[in-house]
Amino acid sequence: MQFTFLGTGDVRQVPVFGCFCTACQLARQQPERRRGPTSGVIRHQGQTTLLDAGQCHLEQQFAPGELDRIFLTHFHMDHVQGLFALRWGMGAKIPVYCPPDEQGCDDLYRHPGLLAFQPFLRPFDPVPCGDIVMTPLPLIHSKITYGYLIEQGGRTLAYLTDTIGLPQETLDFLRQRRIDHLVLDCSYAPAEEQPHNHNDITRVLALHTLIAPRKCWLTHISHDVDNWLADNALPPGVAAAWDGLVVEI
């Protein structure tokens, strides 16, 4: 199973429009430092599963028939905006799995086009996708949001964005399993006061200690975190992901 980070940025992305901090300046000069909307793609045995659809122009990134399914974490625009053009394409329907958010985003439910929205996912209820199993995990965010435990052949990846901390039931669920790769929301540098809606470095490292994965990857990264990382080292086993990073699981 192969997991690719399509995007690792927060809602503002990197570089931030109008910002001239060090991280944003470097991102303008070096394209490999840019961060697009957070999303990922799973490829296994000829099938392709998209995790979130915040990347624009998905219809240009994937060939017709290439996407077997889409799993959404939630319906904030930076996680679904790529669906608005994709839905008016032609060809086979694409199953879309999502949390039980009856509002969704704008008119996606009323005019889905080739998007085939599935019945709402239920927490901790596994969804088989070939020989990959996707288990929805409740997160803490301003909209109903799920992370996913992705399992295949005894290997595991927990994908947890957007969230601030974890609900106790999700934390207990993960601590009872061996997690090979933990992908965690990290939108803020260390903060004295509790941040809003997203983890800071301090909370990420605390979760890393509790869950004890083989490898922890930071995603949903802001320019502030990039600036902090330029002057500070992460502990062993923890690293910031980047757009295009491919992880073999």
Side-chain angles (χ1 to χ4, degrees):
M1 180 170 65
Q2 185 185 81
F3 180 84
T4 302
F5 289 87
L6 293 184
T8 57
D10 68 350
V11 65
R12 294 177 294 178
Q13 307 177 61
V14 181
V16 176
F17 179 78
C19 179
F20 299 95
C21 71
T22 300
C24 290
Q25 291 281 55
L26 286 172
R28 291 187 184 95
Q29 298 163 10
Q30 304 172 32
E32 65 272 15
R33 291 178 177 267
R34 294 175 179 265
R35 297 188 184 278
T38 291
S39 61
V41 63
I42 304 162
R43 292 186 172 91
H44 180 65
Q45 293 185 344
Q47 294 201 345
T48 301
T49 302
L50 182 65
L51 267 175
D52 275 339
Q55 297 276 323
C56 294
H57 305 301
L58 291 173
E59 74 284 357
Q60 298 176 24
Q61 292 193 50
F62 297 95
E66 183 179 356
L67 284 176
D68 294 284
R69 62 193 68 85
I70 299 170
F71 278 78
L72 301 177
T73 60
H74 64 300
F75 280 93
H76 277 153
M77 186 63 74
D78 58 317
H79 292 261
V80 299
Q81 60 193 353
L83 297 179
F84 284 88
L86 183 68
R87 63 176 167 167
W88 300 127
M90 302 172 65
K93 297 279 188 178
I94 303 172
V96 179
Y97 300 84
C98 59
D101 184 342
E102 294 183 357
Q103 290 184 332
C105 182
D106 199 67
D107 66 349
L108 283 173
Y109 287 158
R110 289 185 290 113
H111 303 289
L114 58 73
L115 305 177
F117 285 97
Q118 304 302 300
F120 288 144
L121 296 172
R122 294 178 294 183
F124 307 107
D125 191 1
V127 179
C129 303
D131 66 349
I132 293 177
V133 177
M134 307 280 293
T135 302
L137 307 176
L139 301 180
I140 302 172
H141 198 45
S142 57
K143 252 187 174 293
I144 300 172
T145 303
Y146 284 163
Y148 294 98
L149 178 65
I150 304 158
E151 300 174 276
Q152 190 280 319
R155 301 293 185 181
T156 56
L157 182 147
Y159 187 82
L160 310 177
T161 186
D162 301 22
T163 190
I164 176 167
L166 292 175
Q168 190 62 47
E169 57 183 351
T170 296
L171 181 58
D172 292 342
F173 179 88
L174 291 170
R175 294 187 70 187
Q176 293 169 6
R177 288 157 176 79
R178 187 195 73 176
I179 305 300
D180 293 305
H181 294 270
L182 176 64
V183 180
L184 271 177
D185 177 296
C186 185
S187 297
Y188 300 106
E192 293 183 6
E193 297 182 0
Q194 178 169 304
H196 178 65
N197 264 338
H198 297 274
N199 289 325
D200 65 344
I201 291 281
T202 302
R203 284 159 180 77
V204 164
L205 296 183
L207 288 171
H208 171 254
T209 299
L210 288 171
I211 298 170
R214 186 165 62 86
K215 183 74 174 185
C216 179
W217 299 100
L218 312 186
T219 194
H220 211 278
I221 294 169
S222 68
H223 63 160
D224 293 325
V225 172
D226 275 334
N227 284 320
W228 184 89
L229 290 171
D231 298 318
N232 298 273
L234 293 168
V238 182
W242 61 87
D243 292 21
L245 170 64
V246 178
V247 177
E248 298 288 346
I249 304 171

